[in-house]
Amino acid sequence: MSSGSTCAVVGCHNNSRKLKNALETFCLEHQQLRKACPCPLPYALHSMPRKEDRKLAWLAALRLKHPPKRVYVCSFHFIDKKPTELHPNPELYLGYDRPPPKKRRRLTRTTLSVTASNQASISTQPPEPHLHSVHTQWEDPSQQDHQYCNRSRRKDVQDKMTQCDEVAYFILQNDADALLYTGIALETFNTLVSTLEGYDNNEFTMPVRDQVLTTLMKLKSNRVIGDLSRQFHISQSMASKIISHWLDKLEEVLRPLIPWLPKETIQATMPEAFKKNFPNSTCIIDCSETLLQKPRNLGSRGESYSHYYSHNTVKYLVAVAPCGLIMFVSAAYGGRCSDKFITMDSGILTYLKPGDEVMADRGFTIKDLLFERKVRLVIPAFTKKRRPLTEEQVTYTRWIANVRIHVERAIRRLKVYKILSQIVPISMAPKVDKILRICAALVNLREDLIRDTQ
């Protein structure tokens, strides 16, 4: 039974309050509140029609024993996402198609008593918590609740699994849904899933498509494990295992999507803005930070504390080609590390060749490191002894700012994955390096960052 502006379908908890809360959230991709953002809402609520025949058709489809005064159904249950002339009634995921969840059995004890005629009689009664007997046998209810872990039944479950049983087909209906939940287009997501088919773990009974979607939803929206486990109808421990497994496999498969481009490719794909003023540019580099949950260890706490953010952070270096492709992302360092140390320790210098040109911000005091490799550093002009910049220096600094903004746009795309824009829990800190590479590869799978219109 449902009431108010809550979806009346059995088992569905979508309501108007969740929609209102979604409008008040901030969209990182468009840098504005969702109420003014072009991103579509996750669902819409449709009220029951007033015509009597249509009304009866809805009630028959919903099978409500005690229908509320006002009946609402969310768009997830319509074939066309809303009532249409061809499909006017709710038809999808109406609750009664799924078998009811098994109830937890009450603990009972079976006592074996021996009669005078040496015949055994069995008596069953509810257990008393303060009584214990060597003749008492306890039934383990966990064997009833977690039958999805029973390996003997796994093949039968997978054989019966159809496309409609996959939660991913329910959640991802179009490109807007795919971008909202995974950060990539629907066709790209399907291609990625087909590539990962051979990396499945036999321990998991979920379809690979659902497992990959669970992992990408964790990266994209940073939802808590309990929320994901309820949406995909699995236990929290199983959800954690699935995410941990696929973080390893995704990083392994997607690593080649962060390539260091050859000089010829960089020149061939260079936008006009670079060709005009910085034709020898190889890459633009910058460092970014992500907040980290405060470690318990005092040493780790001190190494990761950032005075700039007044918080514990992880810091990483990003290098972007002039065309906007992320060519390098470093491992995560403590927020206390300087830009120069990360540049020297991350391994990016091994990719630079004599004659290359690196663009950076004023904070990168790495001229000496690049000079040894005969690489030129392009940074904005400094003011010396409070002397104002000359007209040429101002113009040169503006040219740099106009093209260096692209590395910040690439980092902003990285931060669309909320796992990197919100506080990273300590439990996921050991996998931050892999998360960075996965998110960078997924950003490279999106449309071009720089669209050259000339």
Side-chain angles (χ1 to χ4, degrees), residues 188-251:
T188 307
F189 174 78
N190 292 333
T191 305
L192 178 61
V193 171
S194 62
T195 306
L196 295 169
E197 287 287 347
Y199 294 85
D200 189 17
N201 187 336
N202 292 330
E203 182 185 351
F204 308 138
T205 58
M206 282 176 63
V208 173
R209 186 182 174 90
D210 283 358
Q211 295 179 41
V212 176
L213 177 59
T214 305
T215 307
L216 294 185
M217 285 176 69
K218 176 61 182 175
L219 298 179
K220 180 65 167 62
S221 57
N222 198 22
R223 290 164 61 180
V224 294
I225 297 295
D227 188 16
L228 290 172
S229 67
R230 293 186 68 178
Q231 181 159 8
F232 287 88
H233 311 294
I234 55 176
S235 65
Q236 293 191 34
S237 60
M238 182 61 69
S240 297
K241 289 179 183 178
I242 288 172
I243 291 172
S244 178
H245 169 78
W246 284 108
L247 284 178
D248 296 336
K249 299 305 176 184
L250 279 168
E251 191 273 338

Side-chain angles (χ1 to χ4, degrees), residues 42-62:
Y43 58 87
L45 289 168
H46 304 282
S47 59
M48 189 166 62
R50 295 184 178 181
K51 290 184 179 179
E52 193 63 28
D53 56 337
R54 299 280 297 104
K55 193 179 199 180
L56 292 174
W58 272 45
L59 292 176
L62 296 175

Side-chain angles (χ1 to χ4, degrees), residues 81-372:
K81 290 299 189 95
K82 61 181 180 180
T84 60
E85 187 175 350
L86 190 59
H87 300 285
N89 303 324
E91 301 178 42
L92 300 177
Y93 317 106
L94 299 179
Y96 47 78
D97 292 330
R98 296 182 301 176
K102 293 189 177 181
K103 296 183 179 179
R104 183 177 291 273
R105 289 189 179 181
R106 187 177 179 185
L107 290 175
T108 59
R109 71 174 185 177
T110 304
T111 305
L112 186 65
S113 60
V114 181
T115 63
S117 59
N118 293 329
Q119 293 179 346
S121 63
I122 299 176
S123 63
T124 304
Q125 55 185 351
E128 297 180 25
H130 60 281
L131 296 179
H132 301 277
S133 169
V134 293
H135 300 293
T136 302
Q137 297 178 346
W138 296 91
E139 296 181 5
D140 185 2
S142 64
Q143 299 301 321
Q144 306 295 331
D145 291 337
H146 301 286
Q147 289 186 359
Y148 55 81
C149 293
N150 189 343
R151 297 196 176 208
S152 64
R153 298 180 65 249
R154 184 174 302 127
K155 190 175 185 305
D156 296 336
V157 173
Q158 288 178 338
D159 290 343
K160 294 177 183 178
M161 187 72 70
T162 61
Q163 194 178 68
C164 294
D165 294 325
E166 297 184 11
V167 180
Y169 284 99
F170 169 60
I171 295 177
L172 304 182
Q173 299 285 331
N174 48 46
D175 278 343
D177 294 341
L179 288 170
L180 178 64
Y181 291 111
T182 68
I184 53 179
L186 183 57
E187 184 180 356
T188 307
F189 174 78
N190 292 333
T191 305
L192 178 61
V193 171
S194 62
T195 306
L196 295 169
E197 287 287 347
Y199 294 85
D200 189 17
N201 187 336
N202 292 330
E203 182 185 351
F204 308 138
T205 58
M206 282 176 63
V208 173
R209 186 182 174 90
D210 283 358
Q211 295 179 41
V212 176
L213 177 59
T214 305
T215 307
L216 294 185
M217 285 176 69
K218 176 61 182 175
L219 298 179
K220 180 65 167 62
S221 57
N222 198 22
R223 290 164 61 180
V224 294
I225 297 295
D227 188 16
L228 290 172
S229 67
R230 293 186 68 178
Q231 181 159 8
F232 287 88
H233 311 294
I234 55 176
S235 65
Q236 293 191 34
S237 60
M238 182 61 69
S240 297
K241 289 179 183 178
I242 288 172
I243 291 172
S244 178
H245 169 78
W246 284 108
L247 284 178
D248 296 336
K249 299 305 176 184
L250 279 168
E251 191 273 338
E252 180 182 339
V253 172
L254 296 177
R255 194 184 307 161
L257 295 180
I258 313 174
W260 190 272
L261 299 178
K263 187 74 174 178
E264 298 77 17
T265 307
I266 293 174
Q267 292 288 338
T269 58
M270 184 174 290
E272 290 296 328
F274 282 88
K275 288 180 180 178
K276 184 178 180 181
N277 300 312
F278 305 99
N280 297 320
S281 293
T282 303
C283 64
I284 319 165
I285 62 174
D286 200 3
C287 280
S288 184
E289 296 185 60
T290 295
L291 300 183
L292 177 70
Q293 183 183 352
K294 185 183 293 185
R296 291 186 178 181
N297 181 277
L298 292 178
S300 301
R301 191 183 300 181
E303 291 174 1
S304 61
Y305 187 80
S306 170
H307 290 282
Y308 183 81
Y309 285 92
S310 299
H311 201 284
N312 294 89
T313 64
V314 290
K315 194 173 184 179
Y316 43 91
L317 176 72
V318 178
V320 178
C323 64
L325 185 81
I326 297 179
M327 296 199 300
F328 180 86
V329 59
S330 73
Y333 293 80
R336 190 177 179 181
C337 295
S338 65
D339 296 346
K340 182 175 183 179
F341 173 79
I342 295 176
T343 305
M344 183 172 54
D345 189 71
S346 63
I348 190 174
L349 297 178
T350 59
Y351 292 99
L352 299 174
K353 307 297 181 186
D356 285 351
E357 191 172 277
V358 176
M359 190 173 293
D361 199 8
R362 291 188 180 94
F364 282 83
T365 55
I366 57 173
K367 192 171 184 178
D368 54 334
L369 300 176
L370 299 182
F371 182 77
E372 298 172 357

